[in-house]
Amino acid sequence: MISTDTEPKVNIEIAGKLGLSADEFERIKEILGRVPNYTELSIFSVMWSEHCSYKNSIAWLKKLPRKGHHLLAEAGEENAGLVDIGDGLACAFKIESHNHPSAIEPYQGAATGVGGIHRDIFTMGARPIAALNSLRFGNIRSARTRHLMKGIVKGIGDYGNCLGIPTVAGETYFEDCYEVNPLVNAMSVGIVDKDKVISAISKGQGNPVFIVGSATGKDGIHGATFASEDISDESGEKLPSVQVGDPFQEKLLLEASLEVIDTNALVGMQDMGAAGITCSSSEMSEKGHCGMRIDLDKVPMRQADMKPFEILLSESQERMLVVVEKGKEASVKAVFDKWDLNCTQIGEVTEGNMLQYFMHGELVAEVPADVLVLGGGAPVYHREYIKPSWYAKNKQFSIDSIAEPENLIEVARHLATHPNIASKHWIYYQYDSMVGIKNTLTNHAADAAVVRIPETDKGLVVTVDCNGRYVQASPEYGAMIAVAEAARNIVCSGGKPLAITNCLNFGNPYDPEVYWHFVKTIQGMSRACLKFNTPVTGGNVSFYNQSADGGAVYASPVIGMLGIMSNPEKHLGMAFNQANDLIYLLGSSRNDIASSQYLDSWHQRRDCPAPYFDLDEEFAVQEALTILNEKGLIRSAHDVSDGGLFISLLESAIQGNCGFNIQLDEAIRPDAFLFGESQSRIIVSVDSQMKKLFEQTLKECNIKWSMIGTTGAKLLKIGDQNFGTVSEWAELYNHAIEQAMEE
């Protein structure tokens, strides 16, 4: 008999307050054959929230390409993607959001986002060796943005640095639409022996179930529900929904979790993230087609008199649920005792599919596992979507409507100091990028991070990329560009793209125009992933990044891409490091300034499509660069992206403290040539003695290209104009954000 004596009486009104619709409430009653009690309703509310069930996105997510010969797990099968990288090793990697918590408590919101994504990796038996992040903020001149940015960056840095995992790459954008809703996307990359991968599964009737790690408190209760609603004036009142992290405890848990694998006693293990014990017990049970009996009063607690629903829904950090082979409990406990961590049996695996939760011997909730989870009985919705009325007008944009600037140097200075383009060293200097000494970027700046794979000559090449302005303007093409730029960055660093993880950040899915952006983004991402043979291994959908006052954020599908570098001698950097080298542009410049930073912030125009992009052309340019690199014909490579050709040249010059002298293209407007962001372009530097062989190889590649100038001295010269010295521009570029943060 289910206990209801000490709980409020459940009705539609209470269901609504917990985020459930009237139809969902009726469906729950049908599933149970009775009215649920408050604990059971709370269980459904978190598991059927958007954050856990993906009920408004899963139908479209299934259309993404999810198969590949090097994938060891399809999207959604495990806590993270798993890719075969040879030598008996696999790479586990994933990106997730922690947007809402960071909006109301930036330090802990960001810190626990980092902790959670790393747990997803080492829960699988993989040791995290690299972290990345993708951040979005409002106007850097606003006090709120600076407050959020300081807290979020410090939270990421403190947690990752204490954990001893280097932050090797990232990106940061500033747009007014993120003022209320910052985006904090964290990515983790780990290495595991293929024969030591641990699955998030429960099976074997009678096998004991343990909770390990930290004690359980009241932080994070209904955090999954909180993440599945718009930010409002009342959001600050939900501060208890934000978890509190302890990186030192996580370090102990990491080492203990990897060590316990060697006991050969584990059946399965899963991180307790969103929805805590509820999510872990239900997902592990559903995967193993079994049930569980859990005694909630046995859970180690750090607060007295916690109610059953609080224990079940708590998202206290640094905890795992572990299923152990019966009879091997002692060896598991010995490992966690060694690391001074809780390791308490709280239940056992049962036959059937029922989850039974007890408190002091009294049954307080009984729910079938399969009806709770994504891919099981959780709701699946097909939302209405409508093309926005402004979309057709955007496509009519013409460069002829924009006056050419009188002073190109002024525009260049504006772009070099814009926070979307200027150096992010104020951010990444707060991160430890050298711990573990596997990060090669510390002495070899490149478009993507290259991390050495222990005990091999190989390297993992990783990046995160997305320009939300492009996706907002033309979601299908913007999403293709995000995938293409990630691949381009990996190729420009000497790697080969393998697979992606994604973090899809959007507004309210009930808004048909927001949902149209989501649908078109999925379609564009699918096309690009198929072209580059980079299947989607998993990721995260974050809806409800929207507020009543500020509207929705830009559609921001952040792409985390994994690549492999088999030969370290082919590692490419971006720096111009020798005078009198030839500078070539692979690909074609065009009279295109659409959605460029130049058009957006200099001319204040946003009624335009995404920049020019052709998927086949992009693929051909990347293939050509790979061939040139394999033949040893280039010294450096750097893609043309935010800020256009000038910014790419400037960054290469600053990195190598070496200037350049280039000529304008008379067939193209100077502002479009220098600042336009048409895609599929890469600048490379070439030893002049290799000119003949280089150009012959390019002709065989059948792509468009041009020699635009040479490297040399410490000056930047464009046409007949002297733009100044490398050191002058480096001072502007390197300190713009620092100065803005001190205002």
Side-chain angles (χ1 to χ4, degrees), residues 355-611:
L355 300 172
Q356 294 181 309
Y357 301 106
F358 290 81
M359 190 76 172
H360 302 299
E362 185 177 22
L363 183 63
V364 294
E366 185 174 35
V367 180
D370 56 344
V371 304
L372 295 175
V373 303
L374 168 70
V380 176
Y381 298 126
H382 298 265
R383 295 296 174 203
E384 177 189 11
Y385 55 94
I386 298 174
K387 183 187 300 183
S389 58
W390 48 257
Y391 184 69
K393 180 183 176 183
N394 278 17
K395 294 179 70 175
Q396 296 171 4
F397 172 80
S398 170
I399 190 174
D400 296 333
S401 67
I402 303 298
E404 294 188 46
E406 295 180 1
N407 190 323
L408 292 173
I409 296 178
E410 284 186 8
V411 177
R413 286 178 179 272
H414 165 78
L415 291 175
T417 56
H418 193 283
N420 283 348
I421 291 173
S423 169
K424 307 303 185 295
H425 84 273
W426 184 91
I427 296 173
Y428 62 71
Y429 277 12
Q430 299 185 51
Y431 304 151
D432 191 336
S433 61
M434 299 178 67
V435 62
I437 60 172
K438 298 181 181 70
N439 178 16
T440 65
L441 273 188
T442 52
N443 55 14
H444 198 60
D447 281 5
V450 180
V451 185
R452 298 183 185 93
I453 302 173
E455 301 178 7
T456 77
D457 292 329
K458 298 177 181 178
L460 293 177
V461 192
V462 289
T463 185
V464 288
D465 289 285
C466 176
N467 186 315
R469 192 168 57 252
Y470 297 172
V471 187
Q472 189 69 18
S474 306
E476 187 168 1
Y477 278 88
M480 285 194 284
I481 290 171
V483 175
E485 185 177 358
R488 198 186 315 142
N489 283 333
I490 285 177
V491 169
C492 283
S493 304
K496 175 186 177 182
L498 291 180
I500 76 163
T501 178
N502 57 46
C503 200
L504 308 180
N505 306 275
F506 292 84
N508 192 316
Y510 292 84
D511 181 329
E513 292 187 358
V514 166
Y515 205 74
W516 177 81
H517 272 89
F518 174 73
V519 171
K520 291 299 176 182
T521 293
I522 294 293
Q523 293 172 341
M525 190 183 304
S526 296
R527 286 180 60 188
C529 287
L530 288 170
K531 185 68 176 181
F532 291 105
N533 192 25
T534 52
V536 180
T537 63
N540 175 227
V541 177
S542 177
F543 280 135
Y544 299 98
N545 295 290
Q546 188 159 337
S547 62
D549 297 334
V553 301
Y554 283 168
S556 304
V558 176
I559 304 298
M561 186 173 283
L562 172 73
I564 192 78
M565 182 183 294
S566 299
N567 183 354
E569 294 181 0
K570 300 303 180 184
H571 187 184
L572 278 171
M574 69 168 67
F576 293 155
N577 47 34
Q578 183 169 305
N580 300 315
D581 279 350
L582 307 178
I583 301 174
Y584 286 82
L585 176 65
L586 308 187
S588 298
S589 291
R590 292 177 168 82
N591 269 317
D592 177 23
I593 58 173
S595 285
S596 63
Q597 188 65 60
Y598 160 63
L599 181 65
D600 181 86
S601 57
W602 183 262
H603 290 287
Q604 301 290 310
R605 286 284 298 274
R606 296 178 177 85
D607 55 335
C608 57

Side-chain angles (χ1 to χ4, degrees), residues 314-333:
S314 169
E315 295 180 11
S316 293
Q317 297 292 283
E318 294 88 40
R319 299 179 302 157
M320 304 281 204
L321 198 67
V322 179
V323 178
V324 177
E325 288 187 28
K326 192 171 184 178
K328 297 184 178 181
E329 297 90 339
S331 60
V332 171
K333 286 183 65 66

Side-chain angles (χ1 to χ4, degrees), residues 231-249:
I231 291 287
S232 67
D233 293 339
E234 288 74 42
S235 293
E237 299 173 5
K238 297 187 177 181
L239 191 59
S241 294
V242 180
Q243 309 93 326
V244 178
D246 182 345
F248 299 105
Q249 191 82 341

Side-chain angles (χ1 to χ4, degrees), residues 153-164:
V153 171
K154 184 171 176 56
I156 292 171
D158 284 0
Y159 203 102
N161 296 352
C162 292
L163 201 51

Side-chain angles (χ1 to χ4, degrees), residues 18-20 39-53 220-226 228 274-276 278-279 309 312-315 372:
L18 293 177
L20 293 163
T39 298
E40 292 168 331
L41 194 66
S42 296
I43 290 170
F44 277 100
S45 75
V46 292
M47 293 305 297
W48 284 10
S49 70
E50 182 65 39
H51 190 71
C52 290
S53 74
I221 294 172
H222 274 297
T225 308
F226 168 58
S228 304
T278 298
C279 187
F309 84 91
L312 280 166
L313 272 57
S314 169
E315 295 180 11
L372 295 175

